[in-house]
Amino acid sequence: MQVKDSHELLAKLKGIDISQPPVVLVSGSDPSIFDHTEDFIRSQLLKHEAVELTLLTGEQNDAAVLVAEAFNLPLFSPYRLFIVKNAEPIFRYILSNERSPEQQNFSNLPERTMLALYFEGEPTKAMLKLFGDRLIHLQTKNLYADNMEEAIRRAAMHLRLELTEEALLEIRERVPPREGAVQDALKRLKEMHTKNHAVTLEEVRDILFPKAGWDMFRLVDACFTGDIYTFSREMMKFSPPEDNFLALLKQLLNRTDELRRYRICRALNLSPEETLATFGLKN
């Protein structure tokens, strides 16, 4: 069975008979989706089971271990979960001419035995055929711009996280165009955002894309607008020797002088053109 995205994959998993579980294969360029799927299986789907976990990461003997143990069900065995983080050597081993038909028939796994694999790339028909009708397969792909916005809105709704339009656009432009990256970014926003209003553009920048050192213009703006929150957050980014208080004082003095000249122009009722000329600017 082919599913279109991680939401459909998790929905399918919620409805399975865990005594006769499917084989889950996540493929493509988004390993974060497999990490989320693994977390769901372990913390939600099998939370009431005593689970014997076998974690395979693509080491030399992993394929032989999987073939030997997956079909060998010990008496009184707990629920068995095989997590394969790198399925490429597993497929190469199983599809070898040296393997018997029985060793290639992963559609016939024992009861209470679940297999989840991640394969970086696009699996061949021969790979998919190994699992027969037990397979649930998600092929991850990079998102286009319109799909990216939809993925952000859907993930935000799932997390009950409200975003301003400016914040949403910033995420769309700066987060890698992958479903897993979007989910990771919004989960971090959810964890760090403690206020009772929608996540703003500034909060997205502070939490997801923190800049090393001061943003001098933001610091000066916050000082003159009385924004204590932004000023404090920016001061905490102090990174010597790039940042120094002498440069900050100079920027504060420059801004003070600009305000002084603006007020003089207002008091003299100068035209906008004359005011701009006072600042050395042209309209």
Side-chain angles (χ1 to χ4, degrees):
M1 177 192 302
Q2 185 82 25
V3 294
K4 63 180 181 179
D5 56 37
S6 64
H7 296 278
E8 185 180 356
L9 172 59
L10 297 187
K12 294 292 184 185
L13 289 176
K14 288 177 182 177
I16 68 170
D17 176 1
I18 63 171
S19 66
Q20 293 283 354
V23 174
V24 178
L25 172 63
V26 176
S27 62
S29 59
D30 196 347
S32 292
I33 293 295
F34 183 74
D35 293 336
H36 298 159
T37 304
E38 177 192 348
D39 181 66
F40 175 80
I41 291 172
R42 296 173 65 177
S43 65
Q44 298 294 322
L45 198 62
L46 302 179
K47 63 182 178 180
H48 299 303
E49 297 289 335
V51 176
E52 178 186 293
L53 174 66
T54 302
L55 183 63
L56 305 173
T57 59
E59 299 299 321
Q60 184 175 357
N61 297 324
D62 280 358
V65 169
L66 177 62
V67 170
E69 294 188 6
F71 298 100
N72 179 25
L73 184 62
L75 192 63
F76 306 117
S77 171
Y79 200 102
R80 300 187 305 159
L81 174 62
F82 293 87
I83 298 291
V84 180
K85 296 280 192 178
N86 177 14
E88 192 276 329
I90 303 287
F91 282 129
R92 187 171 62 247
Y93 178 90
I94 295 173
L95 291 172
S96 167
N97 292 331
E98 299 175 7
R99 307 281 83 76
S100 66
E102 291 77 17
Q103 292 175 318
Q104 295 180 334
N105 185 12
F106 275 78
S107 65
N108 195 31
L109 288 171
E111 291 186 355
R112 298 173 56 80
T113 300
M114 190 169 189
L115 173 62
L117 312 95
Y118 172 69
F119 177 72
E120 185 180 4
E122 185 172 351
T124 64
K125 290 182 178 179
M127 293 176 182
L128 300 178
K129 189 177 179 180
L130 292 170
F131 311 110
D133 294 336
R134 294 187 69 166
L135 179 66
I136 299 179
H137 174 219
L138 171 61
Q139 173 76 41
T140 64
K141 297 178 181 178
N142 284 356
L143 300 170
Y144 295 109
D146 53 343
N147 302 127
M148 184 72 172
E149 185 168 332
E150 180 185 347
I152 295 169
R153 293 187 186 278
R154 184 171 52 203
M157 183 180 299
H158 177 73
L159 292 170
R160 297 181 181 178
L161 183 67
E162 186 179 357
L163 303 169
T164 65
E165 285 301 312
E166 293 81 4
L168 187 148
L169 292 175
E170 184 78 358
I171 295 168
R172 188 189 71 182
E173 295 302 319
R174 298 187 64 178
V175 169
R178 297 190 296 273
E179 190 179 3
V182 169
Q183 293 177 8
D184 288 340
L186 294 192
K187 283 181 180 178
R188 178 163 176 76
L189 282 175
K190 179 73 172 180
E191 292 168 358
M192 300 293 291
H193 179 70
T194 58
K195 298 185 177 181
N196 293 324
H197 59 70
V199 178
T200 65
L201 172 62
E202 294 302 318
E203 288 168 331
V204 166
R205 288 174 175 172
D206 284 342
I207 296 170
L208 297 183
F209 315 110
K211 178 185 175 184
W214 287 341
D215 183 330
M216 194 69 74
F217 294 104
R218 181 188 289 185
L219 198 55
V220 172
D221 285 344
C223 184
F224 277 89
T225 58
D227 186 348
I228 298 174
Y229 173 79
T230 299
F231 186 83
S232 301
R233 290 288 296 270
E234 203 62 40
M235 288 296 290
M236 291 173 63
K237 299 177 185 177
F238 179 66
S239 177
E242 291 80 7
D243 296 330
N244 66 83
F245 287 94
L246 182 61
L248 174 59
L249 288 173
K250 184 176 180 180
Q251 291 294 330
L252 291 171
L253 286 172
N254 288 342
R255 181 67 62 86
T256 303
D257 185 55
E258 290 173 355
L259 290 171
R260 179 185 62 84
R261 285 189 284 170
Y262 175 74
R263 287 174 177 173
I264 292 173
C265 292
R266 287 287 303 273
L268 296 174
N269 292 321
L270 297 183
S271 67
E273 290 78 11
E274 291 171 321
T275 301
L276 288 173
T278 303
F279 288 88
L281 302 172
K282 294 182 179 180
N283 193 358

